[in-house]
Amino acid sequence: MTDGIASDRSETVFKDFKSGFSREQALVEANRCFFCSDAPCIKACPTQIDIPQFIRKITTGNVKGSARTIFESNILGMSCARVCPVEVLCVSTCVYNGLDQPPIQIGKLQRYSTDFAIAEGWRFFAAGPDSGKSVGLIGAGPASLACAHELRRHGHRVTIYEKRTSIGGLNTTGVAPYKMKADCSVEEVAWILGIGGIEVKTGVTIGVDIAVKDLEQLHNAVFFGAGLGADTKLRVPGEHLAGVHGAVEWIESMKLARVATAGVQHCVVVGGGNTAIDAVREARGLGIPRVTMLYRGSEVKMSGYAHEWRSALPEGGCAEWQAIVTRFEGSQSVERLHCQRLDAQKQPISGSDFVLDAQLVLLAIGQSKLGTLLAGLEGIEIEGGRIVTDAHGSTGRKGWFAGGDCRNGGKEVVNAAAEGKSAALAIHAYFSGGKHA
Amino acid sequence: MPDLSTNCGGIKSPNPFWLASAPPTNSGLQVQRAFDAGWGGAVWKTLGQPIQNVSSRFGATKVRGLAGIGFSNIELITDRSLDVNLREIYETKKMFPHHALVVSLMVETRQEWQDIIKRSIDTGADGIELNFGCPHGMCERGMGSAVGQEPSVNQEITSWAVQHSTVPVLVKLTPNVADILPHGHAAKRGGAHGVTLINTIKSVIGIDIDQFLMEPRVDNRSTNGGYCGAAVKPIALHMVGALARDKSFGLPISGIGGISNWRDAVEFLLLGSSSVQVCTEVMLRGYRVVNDMVEGLEEYMRKHNFTKLDDLIGKAVPSFSEWGNLDLNYETVAKIDASQCIGCNLCVVACHDGAHQCIHPNADEKIRVPVVDESECVGCNLCQIVCPVAGCITMAEVDNGFSSATWNEHVNDGKPLRPKKGVHH
Ligand SMILES: Cc1cc2nc3c(=O)[nH]c(=O)nc-3n(C[C@H](O)[C@H](O)[C@H](O)COP(=O)(O)OP(=O)(O)OC[C@H]3O[C@@H](n4cnc5c(N)ncnc54)[C@H](O)[C@@H]3O)c2cc1C
Ligand SMILES: Cc1cc2nc3c(=O)[nH]c(=O)nc-3n(C[C@H](O)[C@H](O)[C@H](O)COP(=O)(O)O)c2cc1C
Ligand code: SF4
Ligand code: SF4
Ligand code: SF4
């Protein structure tokens, strides 16, 4: 095992849901792209990758240039190619949609070029001359990695503090294994760190091992990229029973180690967001015969993506809409859930109680916000647990910057990558004493 | 880092990619945007007595829904005033001192040539290109291809231009001739510093079959146009190569015709061009196509350990030979990689109907992989060309025991030839 990732971990049973392109497939698809001007797909990408240009380079056999175009905008372009919800980002805006023809498979083309680059060990960026300035980054997730890489290009010294033993944040510990497995994320991190000069201190929890305020003594600037916290609890009786887990915590165990599924006949996933849908597909993929999503809202109102739910259905995912858990029961571990239906106004319908037998329950009703970690720092504004910054990632306190889930409340890897990079440019401008470009 | 800079007949540019004289070089703002996008040079839209254009002007062939594989136009030289053009050339040159800025010219009398050359040079331009190529409209007025098709007129006008010019003079040749060599030599005798080719090919792009009208339609009639775009590349390559391998010629060549990407450009460089010019691809997709051209060329040079353009310019010229010097005893046969074959049998029908009946369906009906009869395969490449799976059919060299023998050697020295294949006696 490397960096806290077991080789016999549960996630290894999963196959890619979207397979990679062969050279021929990539050429056919790339040649379909119109090379639009002022392309809508670029605007729909949070990192603004020049999509038509990278696709054109595939058609001419300039795969290296294609990869460079991608990484120039997004250093996490390889994982984003796999994990981005392209159906609601770039691909959703492709002009082919207006022709009633299949849109360009941008993610798969991006994967084609970036896989090549990482497999071949191509490097595109060098560290800038030493500026003498040092930046401390909290968390080794996508936001901090994108920030650190960009800072190195400008010659700043970089130290990342990560409380886990594994690096990559939720890209390593959270994303569904049929999109990307942990080792793939770790490989990308190693490739990013290849720029040199990024020190990663794992097993260091800021706020515990090092006081938040002490970072100001250690560094000239600090980037907060700690993501989100623990799974939210339901606060109903019986939640402490064995077999009831936070979904993100359970997914992390599945991705890095093993989760027990023996004897589980029915798994209930509570929630209606993307983590809930992922958990449904993952539980089914691990061979649990029955998996039910229990959501208090209706199908049309669920916050999870419709395209993800459509993929879960043929895999055997079921749902109980407009229902809540009132109590868990079991002698040692969970055996059943007492539930109740809700009406359109989310009010309990009396007499609608029902019971579900289940041996595994995954709670996917959200994650806590980590803003409180910075609560003691004067000048930093926290809103609903999120760190408030300007458009480039500067907080109200001099030298403090933030990006990723802790700033946006929980979006996608690609948003974290965009915000991390943008904050790096803000930090560089701060050091240069100038305004942000 | 490979050095992409070039010197074509004394005109220097940071990379070999120039915009050809055409609508993309109509105005200062355009050329400035192009230089910002990465173009190394530009030949300004041909100046002369400003003309009046028709509408419509362009036509295109469509292949699988994509327009522009072949492209045609019936527009003339610039329709903007000479003063405005010259002022913009001056401003652009000042902004981009290291880029190649060439002025394309087309006028009639000696006096006009003298005047316009003087005024063009005054802008600070790096070179002059004589447009002896336009095959429509201007030739009816005794200019363009009417000049390019008459070696004596070509030579004479070239010599006037060279006399009056203090910067290098390129002569842009027309492909609308049976043999390009006398025309290249006429320019050389006139004192040109280099030649540019090809201009567009006289053509009719198509007919509207329901309205019984030729295209592009100008009300109820049309005229022959100039053909260009990806489809003309083989013709252009031939003409560039023909001049490049003529040892008595030796002038630098700026290659044009159907260049859409870095690969096409590399082909022109390998066949002896020291700069390349692009028109149609830019008209269809914009200046930004140069990004991949520069990057692709750079990567290609790295891959082959070329450090400067001279390392590759002309590198394929020695392979361009007379038919009579090809080795008749060199033998290849088609090999099918059964593991890649998808069983479409396109190779079978192509060989049966279009070649020498030597690929056959598998005798076992359950197996779709065809069988090559190597004893009859003439090694024509047709099956490889039609096969939809890249790398499935390869043409393998066969050692037939015969030493090499060209037609010329056979006729002159009686060298023995291998037995013919695929003739089915
Ligand atoms: C189950 C799940 C599935 C997802 N699937 C997708 C997907 O398919 N596609 C997609 O684009 N996005 C997906 N996301 C969202 C995506 O993973 C996040 O948006 C992204 O990882 C956020 O990056 P980040 O760097 O802001 O935070 P994180 O990835 O959360 O990284 C933060 C890091 O900070 C560390 N840390 C936290 N506190 C401290 C501290 N006090 N001291 C030191 N280190 C600390 C953490 O250990 C972690 O490594 C998913 C999220 C979840 C929960
Ligand atoms: C619309 C159009 C206008 C052109 N005008 C000129 C011109 O004014 N002078 C000239 O020398 N060539 C002119 N050309 C020819 C181009 O410069 C070029 O030689 C030709 O198009 C072949 O290159 P391509 O295949 O890259 O288009 C014109 C071509 C087109 C399509
Ligand atoms: S919108 Fe679609 S067709 Fe246009 S550039 Fe983007 S991917 Fe290509
Ligand atoms: S391309 Fe521009 S000038 Fe030409 S027809 Fe279209 S809108 Fe008019
Ligand atoms: S054309 Fe190629 S793929 Fe088709 S049958 Fe022949 S060898 Fe097989």
Side-chain angles (χ1 to χ4, degrees):
Chain A
M1 74 181 245
T2 50
D3 310 308
I5 298 175
S7 50
D8 66 340
R9 58 202 196 277
S10 300
E11 72 158 358
T12 55
V13 303
F14 287 91
K15 296 209 172 9
D16 283 359
F17 182 66
K18 295 180 187 171
S19 54
F21 272 145
S22 68
R23 180 172 172 274
E24 280 66 33
Q25 289 171 319
L27 281 174
V28 170
E29 188 67 1
N31 274 304
R32 286 179 64 226
C33 171
F34 294 129
F35 196 53
C36 296
S37 170
D38 192 25
C41 54
I42 304 181
K43 295 184 182 159
C45 169
T47 57
Q48 310 271 293
I49 294 176
D50 190 341
I51 293 162
Q53 197 67 263
F54 98 67
I55 293 180
R56 182 180 176 90
K57 291 176 182 181
I58 294 176
T59 70
T60 71
N62 179 15
V63 181
K64 194 170 185 178
S66 173
R68 180 186 290 118
T69 300
I70 295 162
F71 291 129
E72 187 64 59
S73 297
N74 179 353
I75 198 66
L76 284 104
M78 186 266 257
S79 55
C80 284
R82 290 172 160 75
V83 309
C84 270
V86 294
E87 294 84 350
V88 297
L89 296 174
C90 53
V91 172
S92 73
T93 66
C94 174
V95 296
Y96 266 107
N97 292 299
L99 275 178
D100 281 331
Q101 289 179 34
I104 301 296
Q105 300 194 53
I106 300 168
K108 285 180 137 198
L109 289 171
Q110 182 172 325
R111 173 170 169 181
Y112 179 76
S113 297
T114 54
D115 274 4
F116 238 98
I118 295 196
E120 298 284 321
W122 290 332
R123 302 218 58 86
F124 302 102
F125 310 103
D130 186 19
S131 68
K133 301 277 190 200
S134 147
V135 184
L137 298 93
I138 306 172
S144 289
L145 288 164
C147 183
H149 186 269
E150 192 64 26
L151 287 168
R152 287 301 297 143
R153 290 183 72 186
H154 290 92
H156 306 306
R157 299 174 189 176
V158 173
T159 306
I160 301 180
Y161 303 94
E162 169 57 57
K163 70 176 180 188
R164 288 181 160 78
T165 51
S166 61
I167 43 182
L170 284 169
N171 228 353
T172 302
T173 64
V175 300
Y178 44 80
K179 295 181 186 166
M180 182 174 67
K181 297 192 185 60
D183 54 339
C184 187
S185 164
V186 169
E187 192 189 350
E188 177 180 70
V189 175
W191 180 83
I192 293 171
L193 298 182
I195 191 167
I198 302 177
E199 188 183 6
V200 187
K201 296 193 168 176
T202 53
V204 178
T205 306
I206 298 300
V208 176
D209 301 307
I210 299 177
V212 175
K213 242 189 126 118
D214 288 353
L215 291 174
E216 288 190 334
Q217 263 69 61
L218 294 165
H219 303 286
N220 305 99
V222 182
F223 175 77
F224 191 65
L228 300 175
D231 293 287
T232 308
K233 294 240 186 306
L234 264 180
R235 303 187 192 289
V236 299
E239 200 170 2
H240 62 279
L241 285 167
V244 180
H245 301 273
V248 175
E249 162 223 313
W250 179 82
I251 290 169
E252 177 169 351
S253 306
M254 174 201 51
K255 287 187 63 72
L256 303 185
R258 294 197 67 81
V259 287
T261 53
V264 178
Q265 289 302 311
H266 187 204
C267 163
V268 173
V269 177
V270 182
N274 286 313
T275 298
I277 302 175
D278 278 8
V280 167
R281 297 179 69 184
E282 286 157 353
R284 278 293 300 144
L286 289 175
I288 295 173
R290 256 179 83 213
V291 182
T292 304
M293 185 167 81
L294 185 96
Y295 180 46
R296 62 186 172 146
S298 61
E299 180 165 2
V300 287
K301 292 258 174 73
M302 72 191 292
S303 62
Y305 296 131
H307 69 267
E308 289 283 353
W309 182 241
R310 274 196 302 275
S311 302
L313 291 175
E315 292 172 2
C318 302
E320 292 286 353
W321 306 108
Q322 295 179 280
I324 52 165
V325 191
T326 51
R327 165 161 64 94
F328 297 98
E329 265 181 16
S331 51
Q332 271 148 8
S333 64
V334 66
E335 290 167 22
R336 71 197 71 81
L337 298 73
H338 288 262
C339 312
Q340 200 173 29
R341 300 251 171 241
L342 302 182
D343 63 17
Q345 280 73 45
K346 296 206 172 146
Q347 294 306 310
I349 303 174
S350 64
S352 68
D353 304 27
F354 62 102
V355 174
L356 292 174
D357 286 339
Q359 298 75 39
L360 178 64
V361 176
L362 304 175
L363 303 178
I365 54 168
Q367 291 170 263
S368 70
K369 308 277 192 301
L370 289 180
T372 44
L373 196 63
L374 303 189
L377 292 181
E378 201 185 318
I380 292 191
E381 203 185 322
I382 296 159
E383 207 179 82
R386 285 177 291 142
I387 312 288
V388 178
T389 75
D390 69 5
H392 308 299
S394 307
T395 70
R397 186 179 176 88
K398 256 184 90 166
W400 283 76
F401 302 80
D405 279 1
C406 67
R407 170 184 182 268
N408 61 38
K411 285 188 175 170
E412 314 293 343
V413 172
V414 67
N415 300 94
E419 294 176 23
K421 181 175 174 184
S422 148
L425 297 173
I427 293 169
H428 180 63
Y430 166 70
F431 287 157
S432 317
K435 283 242 130 258
H436 194 278
Chain B
M1 187 72 175
D3 179 6
L4 264 57
S5 68
T6 192
N7 179 342
C8 185
I11 303 168
K12 295 186 182 125
S13 59
N15 66 50
F17 299 104
W18 297 2
L19 289 170
S21 173
T25 58
N26 250 329
S27 65
L29 286 178
Q30 283 175 287
V31 174
Q32 290 154 26
R33 272 197 288 126
F35 286 165
D36 280 335
W39 290 89
V43 185
W44 208 270
K45 173 73 185 174
T46 304
L47 307 184
Q49 280 300 321
I51 51 74
Q52 174 84 43
N53 270 314
V54 292
S55 78
S56 53
R57 301 177 193 179
F58 308 144
T61 54
K62 256 191 177 180
V63 177
R64 291 205 195 103
L66 196 65
I69 300 304
F71 192 82
S72 171
N73 84 90
I74 57 171
E75 77 165 45
L76 307 180
I77 62 171
T78 189
D79 52 9
R80 306 172 73 230
S81 93
L82 188 58
D83 290 342
V84 171
N85 274 307
L86 292 171
R87 191 183 68 236
E88 292 177 2
I89 294 170
Y90 169 81
E91 287 163 357
T92 306
K93 187 64 219 174
K94 262 185 101 162
M95 292 169 69
F96 295 90
H98 304 298
H99 287 62
L101 194 53
V102 178
V103 185
S104 170
L105 301 174
M106 187 198 289
V107 286
E108 275 189 272
T109 66
R110 183 170 188 161
Q111 189 58 47
E112 282 175 320
W113 279 106
Q114 180 172 351
D115 293 345
I116 202 165
I117 285 174
K118 172 159 191 328
R119 296 191 63 192
S120 300
I121 295 169
D122 286 347
T123 63
D126 303 288
I128 300 290
E129 188 177 89
L130 310 182
N131 181 348
F132 294 167
C134 185
H136 45 86
M138 299 312 287
C139 53
E140 294 172 18
R141 306 177 195 177
M143 291 179 275
S145 63
V147 175
Q149 285 163 336
E150 255 337 304
S152 56
V153 185
N154 166 342
Q155 178 183 341
E156 183 171 11
I157 298 181
T158 303
S159 67
W160 298 342
V162 171
Q163 250 174 53
H164 297 304
S165 177
T166 51
V167 295
V169 174
L170 305 177
V171 172
K172 186 164 179 180
L173 299 175
T174 175
N176 299 300
V177 294
D179 179 6
I180 197 72
L181 292 179
H183 306 279
H185 280 283
K188 184 177 176 177
R189 282 194 304 276
H193 302 88
V195 291
T196 298
L197 71 166
I198 60 174
N199 208 312
T200 55
I201 303 169
K202 205 163 195 170
S203 61
V204 171
I205 194 72
I207 308 291
D208 181 328
I209 60 170
D210 294 316
Q211 298 201 56
F212 323 120
L213 287 174
M214 205 165 106
E215 290 175 330
R217 182 169 76 84
V218 181
D219 194 10
N220 60 356
R221 63 190 67 163
S222 187
T223 188
N224 69 271
Y227 195 46
C228 53
V232 311
K233 191 185 77 178
I235 298 166
L237 278 175
H238 165 250
M239 294 191 163
V240 165
L243 284 171
R245 74 191 189 94
D246 177 355
K247 299 227 163 31
S248 64
F249 180 65
L251 286 190
I253 298 169
S254 184
I256 327 184
I259 297 173
S260 312
N261 56 51
W262 66 269
R263 289 178 174 275
D264 300 329
V266 166
E267 293 180 58
F268 277 82
L269 296 168
L270 290 174
L271 218 44
S273 308
S274 43
S275 75
V276 291
Q277 300 187 20
V278 182
C279 164
T280 302
E281 186 64 4
V282 170
M283 290 183 66
L284 297 176
R285 291 294 181 270
Y287 301 127
R288 64 207 163 122
V289 298
V290 77
N291 179 311
D292 178 51
M293 291 180 176
V294 168
E295 202 175 57
L297 174 60
E298 244 169 42
E299 266 323 308
Y300 169 82
M301 289 174 69
R302 267 199 207 101
K303 181 174 145 201
H304 289 277
N305 288 321
F306 296 141
T307 55
K308 51 186 192 311
L309 277 189
D310 277 343
D311 295 348
L312 68 140
I313 291 172
K315 214 173 163 59
V317 173
S319 70
F320 191 160
S321 151
E322 304 297 332
W323 193 94
N325 292 331
L326 302 179
D327 180 4
L328 289 166
N329 285 341
Y330 173 77
E331 184 174 347
T332 59
V333 295
K335 300 264 187 198
I336 297 174
D337 176 356
S339 71
Q340 293 193 58
C341 173
I342 55 173
C344 66
N345 278 1
L346 284 177
C347 55
V348 174
V349 73
C351 187
H352 271 247
D353 295 0
H356 298 85
Q357 302 82 46
C358 51
I359 303 188
H360 307 294
N362 205 297
D364 181 346
E365 268 183 32
K366 287 190 288 296
I367 301 176
R368 298 270 315 168
V369 184
V371 178
V372 180
D373 177 357
E374 294 185 9
S375 70
E376 290 295 343
C377 172
V378 303
C380 71
N381 298 350
L382 184 64
C383 56
Q384 191 190 35
I385 290 168
V386 298
C387 179
V389 185
C392 175
I393 298 185
T394 46
M395 304 304 299
E397 252 179 79
V398 174
D399 181 2
N400 53 24
F402 283 81
S403 58
S404 111
T406 68
W407 176 251
N408 292 337
E409 289 166 341
H410 174 66
V411 171
N412 299 332
D413 315 331
K415 276 203 176 177
L417 301 182
R418 64 183 165 118
K420 292 182 201 168
K421 288 167 84 181
V423 286
H424 306 295
H425 325 270

